[in-house]
């Protein structure tokens, strides 16, 4: 007999196209249980029928499943490595490297890379593609207005140089915004948007099953130009990186072999 959760997964997939199969079941169950309580349902089947009847609650469902916390210069020492070593090397090979921030959430990651590029090449005009499955997060990213807590890792001088105060918050300046294109994209289902010299996919796969992760890393490898680099999150080491064809530049930076 099909379980309550399997029924929910299949129905949600049919209703929204969203593939819960690739997300870790325990995490999803834990995350959804409070949301289910708050709307007064006791089973996944009931929750599905509630969502079907009240589609305005689908946003809350997606947000809970695809949690989107982010901040500028998340793990600052890694971004220092990116700005001091890997981006200068990529720029030497190609003055406008193709860059993709996959699972960008509310924009901090893509804008961080844009600011680093402007520091390295003040008149930089290339584009960074920034994608996420969560449309609300993308709207937030495009608005570019951040509370001070998300800015705590900014290197000295960046706040004054790249942001404008607005009430209690800070808005990213247009010259940084101009470098980033935000677009909706589901990493598990949509075709990849081209080939790249640098792909950032950080703190996204932690929610995926091992199988989904493996498939995704293979696809990232294929989407990198030879010599291109994949930059992962601080807890997302790829243990079979060599098998996939990568050279480990350092933990969390993987280069597609030439
Ligand atoms: C914790 S945030 C990471 C944000 C940023 N990369 C960082 O490290 O700060 C995870 C993001 O992954 C996105 N995400 C989850 N599943 C996804 C999928 N299948 N396709 C694209 N993005 C997804 C979520 O919407 C969320 O914005």
């Amino acid at each position: 007999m099909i379980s309550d959760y399997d029924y929910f997964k299949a129905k949600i997939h049919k209703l929204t196209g969203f593939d819960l199969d690739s997300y870790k079941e325990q995490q999803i169950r834990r995350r959804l249980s409070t949301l289910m309580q708050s709307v007064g349902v006791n089973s996944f089947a009931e929750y599905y029928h509630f969502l079907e009847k009240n589609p305005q609650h689908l946003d809350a469902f997606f947000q809970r499943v695809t949690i989107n916390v982010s901040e500028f210069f998340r793990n600052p020492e890694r971004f220092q490595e990116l700005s001091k070593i890997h981006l200068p090397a990529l720029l030497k090979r190609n003055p406008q490297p193709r860059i993709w921030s996959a699972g960008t959430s509310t924009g901090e990651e893509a804008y961080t890379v844009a600011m680093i590029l402007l520091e390295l090449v003040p008149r930089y005009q290339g584009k960074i593609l920034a994608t996420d499955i969560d449309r609300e997060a993308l709207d937030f990213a495009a608005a570019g207005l951040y509370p001070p807590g998300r800015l705590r890792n900014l290197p000295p001088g960046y706040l004054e140089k790249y942001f404008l105060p607005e009430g209690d918050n800070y808005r990213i300046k247009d010259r940084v915004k101009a470098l980033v294109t935000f677009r909706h994209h589901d990493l598990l289902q949509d075709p990849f948007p081209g080939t790249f010299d640098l792909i950032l996919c950080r703190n996204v796969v932690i929610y995926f099953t091992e199988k989904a992760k493996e498939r995704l890393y293979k696809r990232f490898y294929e989407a990198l130009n030879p010599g291109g680099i994949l930059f992962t999150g601080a807890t997302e080491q790829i243990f079979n990186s060599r098998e996939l064809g990568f050279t480990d530049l350092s933990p969390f930076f993987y280069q597609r072999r030439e």
Side-chain angles (χ1 to χ4, degrees):
M1 209 183 85
I2 182 166
S3 77
D4 188 36
Y5 185 69
D6 285 342
Y7 172 83
F8 180 73
K9 278 194 303 192
K11 294 299 254 183
I12 282 289
H13 192 230
K14 223 170 175 179
L15 182 71
T16 67
F18 185 65
D19 176 20
L20 269 171
D21 255 343
S22 297
Y23 291 79
K24 290 178 188 157
E25 180 170 334
Q26 281 320 317
Q27 283 200 17
I28 299 295
R29 280 179 177 273
R30 201 169 46 239
R31 247 184 244 150
L32 289 181
S33 67
T34 44
L35 201 56
M36 286 160 65
Q37 269 170 22
S38 72
V39 297
V41 299
N42 294 315
S43 70
F44 280 103
E46 275 181 51
Y47 186 42
Y48 171 74
H49 295 298
F50 171 82
L51 290 173
E52 197 184 21
K53 276 198 210 104
N54 305 280
Q56 70 277 18
H57 282 263
L58 278 169
D59 272 353
F61 160 72
F62 282 125
Q63 288 222 0
R64 190 60 62 94
V65 172
T66 63
I67 283 192
N68 43 34
V69 251
S70 191
E71 61 183 329
F72 287 89
F73 286 85
R74 188 172 191 170
N75 313 113
E77 64 293 350
R78 302 274 162 238
F79 276 100
Q80 215 175 30
E81 181 179 337
L82 179 72
S83 64
K84 296 257 178 311
I85 302 171
H86 306 308
L87 261 180
L90 288 175
L91 285 164
K92 217 179 247 178
R93 299 157 61 113
N94 176 355
Q96 285 197 359
R98 284 190 39 87
I99 300 175
W100 178 21
S101 164
T104 199
S105 186
T106 36
E108 292 90 331
E109 180 174 284
Y111 289 139
T112 295
V113 176
M115 288 186 287
I116 292 173
L117 283 164
L118 287 171
E119 288 292 308
L120 293 170
V121 185
R123 289 176 190 279
Y124 190 79
Q125 291 193 336
K127 283 276 187 187
I128 299 161
L129 176 66
T131 62
D132 203 281
I133 195 173
D134 182 340
R135 291 180 199 277
E136 274 195 32
L138 290 170
D139 288 345
F140 187 103
L145 185 67
Y146 296 96
R150 309 245 190 119
L151 308 165
R152 65 197 165 121
N153 291 328
L154 282 181
Y158 276 51
L159 187 64
E160 298 73 19
K161 198 165 170 186
Y162 295 115
F163 292 83
L164 290 168
E166 200 173 305
D168 292 337
N169 300 315
Y170 291 89
R171 194 177 292 277
I172 194 96
K173 285 190 180 171
D174 286 347
R175 59 189 285 237
V176 185
K177 225 186 234 185
L179 300 188
V180 185
T181 305
F182 292 103
R183 199 186 298 164
H184 179 264
H185 181 267
D186 181 345
L187 281 166
L188 298 170
Q189 310 223 43
D190 294 336
F192 274 15
T195 53
F196 297 88
D197 301 297
L198 174 65
I199 298 175
L200 299 93
C201 185
R202 312 190 66 231
N203 309 298
V204 177
V205 302
I206 33 173
Y207 309 119
F208 295 169
T209 59
E210 285 306 313
K211 201 165 139 213
K213 249 191 251 185
E214 184 142 331
R215 198 176 59 222
L216 191 60
Y217 284 140
K218 269 197 191 126
R219 293 182 76 201
F220 278 140
Y221 177 84
E222 282 156 15
L224 280 168
N225 293 322
I229 294 173
L230 172 65
F231 178 14
T232 65
T235 57
E236 297 168 331
Q237 213 148 353
I238 308 176
F239 292 106
N240 63 340
S241 56
R242 279 178 210 175
E243 225 171 275
L244 291 172
F246 288 110
T247 301
D248 298 12
L249 295 177
S250 64
F252 318 109
F253 286 95
Y254 302 91
Q255 185 166 43
R256 178 175 172 149
R257 287 192 206 120
E258 302 278 352

